[in-house]
Amino acid sequence: MSAAVVPPVGARIRQARLERGMSLRALAREVGVSASLVSQIETGKSQPSVSTLYAITTVLGISVESLFDARASSPMAGVNPPGGVLHALAAFAADPGRRIGPLVGAGERETLELDSGVVWERLGRVPGADVDFLLVTYRPGGSSSGSGALMRHSGTEYGYLTSGELILTLGFDEYIVRPGDAVSFESTTPHRYRNDGEVPAVGVWFVSGDVQ
């Protein structure tokens, strides 16, 4: 399998921010994180949590998929060092050859380690479709938001838990999601997942978004 061509995802975030005339501090304020963290994400020095990644793309008015467009150019090419989380994120988009599908073998999946004990494994991708098709693992103590804040983003979310247990906070309600349970909701509803158990919680997730 040939190596993926990895676009500079952190630089794409910076490029989108500058195109909107937004300062780093202004983006940080809108997302609800420190300017230092945004700077570290833009340069590939820090791992974003699920909630922070979605918050950044929501504030900038771009889709997550657009960050992975290998055809896009950036004045900061090369700032994401190999092995960083944004490097892995970008590899999702490159998808050369059989990584796109229609069949993705168990040993061919791209794996992404996010902050706060969350692992995404990409199960497939149809070019041009703004859908994330993922095997998601929440390690014991893992959460979609390290700060405990709820996240919201465009699109619709569908999930099916195969093992372990998750606590889903959705708006003002809280649900215990057990193996065999399924969830579906508009992703604009504030939400958060966490694993309070002692074993990993694993499930298959589809997140469809509006193409920007």
Side-chain angles (χ1 to χ4, degrees), residues 6-11 13 38-48 53 67-68 79-92 112-114:
V6 181
V9 177
I13 292 175
V38 173
S39 176
Q40 291 171 11
I41 290 173
E42 289 188 347
T43 56
K45 296 177 181 178
S46 182
Q47 298 183 0
L53 183 65
L67 295 177
F68 311 145
V79 298
N80 282 321
V85 66
L86 295 178
H87 181 278
L89 266 170
F92 274 15
L112 170 63
E113 299 259 354
L114 288 167

Side-chain angles (χ1 to χ4, degrees), residues 97-175:
R98 63 174 180 249
R99 287 180 182 154
I100 291 176
L103 174 65
V104 178
E108 299 172 351
R109 296 196 293 262
E110 297 282 1
T111 299
L112 170 63
E113 299 259 354
L114 288 167
D115 194 18
S116 302
V118 182
V119 180
W120 285 355
E121 294 181 64
R122 195 177 197 185
L123 297 177
R125 171 178 178 260
V126 177
D130 186 22
V131 178
D132 295 319
F133 178 27
L134 305 167
L135 181 67
V136 178
T137 299
Y138 283 82
R139 296 189 176 115
S143 171
S144 56
S145 172
S147 67
L150 304 185
M151 64 178 176
R152 54 186 300 175
H153 50 92
S154 64
T156 308
E157 192 155 329
Y158 304 88
Y160 176 82
L161 198 67
T162 59
S163 63
E165 188 172 287
L166 280 177
I167 305 298
L168 167 63
T169 302
L170 185 63
F172 295 104
D173 299 316
E174 192 167 272
Y175 304 89

Side-chain angles (χ1 to χ4, degrees), residues 11-33:
R12 292 295 314 285
I13 292 175
R14 180 179 186 275
Q15 184 179 23
R17 173 176 63 78
L18 294 177
E19 286 174 353
R20 285 152 183 76
M22 179 177 288
S23 70
L24 190 147
R25 290 185 180 277
L27 175 58
R29 184 169 57 251
E30 290 293 324
V31 172
V33 298

